[in-house]
Amino acid sequence: MITRLRDAWRRFAEKRPGVAQFVVFFLLSNGITVLQLALMPLIKWLFGMTSLVDTAFQVWPVGSNPDGSQYFVFDYAAGALPAGGGGLAYFLAVQITLLVAQVINFFAQRNITFKSNTSVGKAAAWYAIAYVAITILAAAAQGLYKTPIYDLFIETWGLGGTGETLADFVTMIINAAISFWVFFPIFKVIFKQVPEVAAPAAAADADAGEVRTS
């Protein structure tokens, strides 16, 4: 059964390589998202027991919110959610979760999805640049939906701690979705597959050269 499925997939991948590549990317990305959903509450809980919750982390002011208050790209006001923004504790929980997930994602996508054989260093450098850019984009977008989501689950629906965990999941899924659609075209560029020269062909050329010179 497994052999038949493997053969069927191989035939499909040979016939539709682009689609097959996207399917593998999709499956791996969802696996990484599950990992993020498992890590985020744990790391957030650990940092939540520190004073970092009451340490504000609000940087890069750009424009203002509808209520006239300052809008920050990274907006983690001091205090526990939803009254506060989770402070530096929430920021670190989000960023550590994303960092762990993206390191795993880099090697999984490079070796499994795209089967890249080009320089790991160059790919890692471009990946790091893309990661920073996407992190800033996702953080700026989070300022629009984070507070309403936590208010909805914790206050409006009155779910308390359970609502906070559900809100964590929703915000992480949104972050993962942003990364998913942005990273795929980037991976297509940085994870190249360069054809390798076949050893037998090289050996044959060498033999032919020796014959001509003898």
Side-chain angles (χ1 to χ4, degrees):
M1 178 64 178
I2 296 178
T3 301
R4 288 199 297 270
L5 288 174
R6 187 185 297 116
D7 291 341
W9 171 256
R10 180 179 52 78
R11 291 193 297 270
F12 175 77
E14 291 175 352
K15 186 177 181 180
R16 297 283 190 273
V19 176
Q21 192 176 69
F22 183 80
V23 169
V24 176
F25 173 79
F26 177 81
L27 293 175
L28 284 176
S29 295
N30 277 277
I32 297 298
T33 299
V34 172
L35 174 64
Q36 290 177 262
L37 294 177
L39 282 178
M40 175 63 182
L42 175 61
I43 298 176
K44 183 168 171 283
W45 174 72
L46 291 173
F47 279 112
M49 295 188 293
T50 71
S51 60
L52 295 177
V53 174
D54 298 315
T55 302
F57 186 79
Q58 296 172 296
V59 297
W60 290 357
V62 287
S64 58
N65 293 302
D67 62 0
S69 60
Q70 182 66 64
Y71 186 91
F72 296 92
V73 172
F74 291 96
D75 190 3
Y76 297 86
L81 294 158
L88 185 58
Y90 190 97
F91 169 78
L92 291 175
V94 171
Q95 297 308 318
I96 291 174
T97 299
L98 290 175
L99 180 60
V100 171
Q102 293 308 325
V103 169
I104 297 173
N105 193 44
F106 172 83
F107 290 102
Q109 300 291 2
R110 180 181 185 275
N111 297 328
I112 300 173
T113 304
F114 297 92
K115 297 180 175 62
S116 177
N117 56 0
T118 55
S119 170
V120 176
K122 287 184 179 180
W126 283 111
Y127 186 88
I129 293 171
Y131 170 72
V132 171
I134 293 172
T135 297
I136 294 172
L137 172 65
Q142 192 178 77
L144 302 174
Y145 63 77
K146 186 179 80 172
T147 299
I149 288 174
Y150 280 91
D151 283 341
L152 174 66
F153 281 95
I154 299 174
E155 299 291 342
T156 305
W157 290 354
L159 297 178
T162 302
E164 184 173 348
T165 300
L166 292 174
D168 288 342
F169 286 168
V170 172
T171 54
M172 188 55 63
I173 288 173
I174 294 174
N175 268 313
I178 293 173
S179 296
F180 175 85
W181 290 109
V182 175
F183 264 126
F184 184 72
I186 292 174
F187 285 164
K188 293 281 286 185
V189 173
I190 67 175
F191 290 151
K192 296 291 187 181
Q193 189 176 36
V194 179
E196 297 180 356
V197 177
D205 289 342
D207 291 342
E210 291 178 0
V211 170
R212 284 194 296 270
T213 56
S214 60

